[in-house]
Amino acid sequence: MSAPAFRLAGVMGWPIGHSRSPALYGHWLARYGIHGAYVPLAVAPDRLAQAVEGLRALGFAGANVTVPHKEAVLALADEADPLASRIGAANTLLRRQDGSLHAMNTDAYGFLANLEESASFQATGRTVAVLGAGGAARAVIVALVDAGAVRIRLANRTRGRAESLADAFGPMVEVVDWRERSAMLDGVDLLVNTTALGLEGQPPLEIDLAPLPEATLVTDIVYAPLETPLLAAARRQGNPVVDGLGMLLHQAVPGFEAWFGVRPTVDAALRAAVLGPPAGR
Ligand code: ATR
């Protein structure tokens, strides 16, 4: 019998040295004994089109796409699934049998799968407060809307950006002034930070959590540090919290399954592998 074909995937970003994805996928490749590899691909913004063409030429099974390429890559794929188009960004490319490249967005899936698995959170019928109005916020809001959330309160430092984002969803997304970000927490079932605040090297998110109901789940897209000042403050108040690393782990599941043919498990061993030192250091 001939050996199975060697399968190749990777992650395109700029810079790419700090990406945890090679450790993440590397752990699964070893665990499932897969004949394949997943490599970091440093792709400058002006070389993205060439790099995508290169994936085809090199026979990659597909690739992840990260900052700053998530929006631009949509136009370079042969087709995008409707979810990726609605979010306006793709994080996963899949090469089909006929050689065409299909763009997907698995961030929305990863966001919800993390909350479901870590805290049994179901979005149906819920009211959610979202901080931030960038690309991450768009994926989070699409995920929540599709899963049946009934009301989203959205606050962003630059109010106009929140308004443009809210426009796509109608009255269920209500824009709240950034100065009112604390008051909007009254009665919400979930608080999500999608801003860069709290990330290593960035200032902390300043928000008074006093109006937050005590059972309200708090989560952060930021996962470096794992416990952001927001999550620490929520924990001190007695609120349940879910860190952002789980979203990274869960968003990787559909890509791995599509490229390598095994649906992988998110567990403590994977978390440990991803939290270890970056490969090559
Ligand atoms: P991403 O794709 O990760 O969401 P982004 O599009 O750059 O990244 O968005 C970053 C988010 O963090 C935005 O909501 C941004 O607010 P603005 O739209 O006002 O720029 C928010 N953000 C970044 N630094 C901030 C700060 N110092 N205070 C408040 N919000 C901040």
Side-chain angles (χ1 to χ4, degrees):
M1 236 174 77
S2 62
F6 189 88
R7 289 179 176 257
L8 194 50
V11 55
M12 301 192 296
W14 186 262
I16 200 62
H18 294 289
S19 171
R20 306 309 307 172
S21 294
L24 198 176
Y25 287 91
H27 174 83
W28 279 336
L29 287 169
R31 173 171 170 179
Y32 296 107
I34 285 168
H35 191 50
Y38 182 100
V39 292
L41 299 164
V43 176
D46 64 341
R47 308 297 287 275
L48 182 63
Q50 280 171 287
V52 169
E53 203 46 45
L55 292 178
R56 303 175 204 267
L58 293 167
F60 272 57
N64 283 124
V65 183
T66 188
V67 179
H69 302 314
K70 285 184 171 189
E71 286 90 12
V73 81
L74 268 185
L76 297 169
D78 298 300
E79 52 168 17
D81 72 24
L83 182 68
S85 301
R86 280 168 63 218
I87 295 172
N91 68 339
T92 305
L93 295 174
L94 172 61
R95 189 164 55 95
R96 300 270 199 217
Q97 292 269 318
D98 64 3
S100 64
L101 278 178
H102 182 74
M104 310 190 293
N105 188 308
T106 67
D107 285 332
Y109 163 81
F111 172 71
L112 283 184
N114 182 33
L115 296 187
E116 270 171 41
E117 224 166 87
S118 307
S120 301
F121 179 84
Q122 298 290 335
T124 318
R126 304 302 191 111
T127 296
V128 183
V130 175
L131 298 165
R138 183 176 287 273
V140 161
I141 291 173
V142 168
L144 290 166
V145 167
D146 286 2
V150 290
R151 181 160 296 277
I152 291 166
R153 299 180 189 151
L154 176 62
N156 191 51
R157 174 181 61 178
T158 310
R159 188 184 167 102
R161 217 173 162 200
E163 281 167 354
S164 324
L165 178 50
D167 273 352
F169 299 95
M172 68 170 301
V173 179
E174 177 196 351
V175 174
V176 177
D177 206 81
W178 183 243
R179 285 167 304 190
E180 301 298 318
R181 63 191 180 282
S182 178
M184 78 168 175
L185 303 180
D186 186 24
V188 303
D189 303 301
L190 171 69
L191 166 61
V192 187
N193 175 45
T194 75
T195 74
L197 295 170
L199 181 67
E200 274 163 11
Q202 297 283 331
L205 169 64
E206 283 174 17
I207 186 165
D208 174 12
L209 296 180
L212 200 66
E214 64 184 25
T216 294
L217 181 63
V218 179
T219 191
D220 207 320
I221 295 296
V222 170
Y223 59 84
L226 266 186
E227 180 155 279
T228 59
L230 169 67
L231 295 185
R235 197 190 292 281
R236 279 197 300 276
Q237 276 211 169
N239 286 85
V241 301
V242 171
D243 69 51
L245 183 63
M247 177 175 173
L248 176 76
L249 306 184
H250 283 280
Q251 64 78 33
V253 169
F256 189 88
E257 184 178 23
W259 303 325
F260 300 114
V262 175
R263 188 158 184 94
T265 302
V266 172
D267 57 15
L270 180 70
R271 270 180 85 88
V274 171
L275 289 171
R281 285 217 183 148

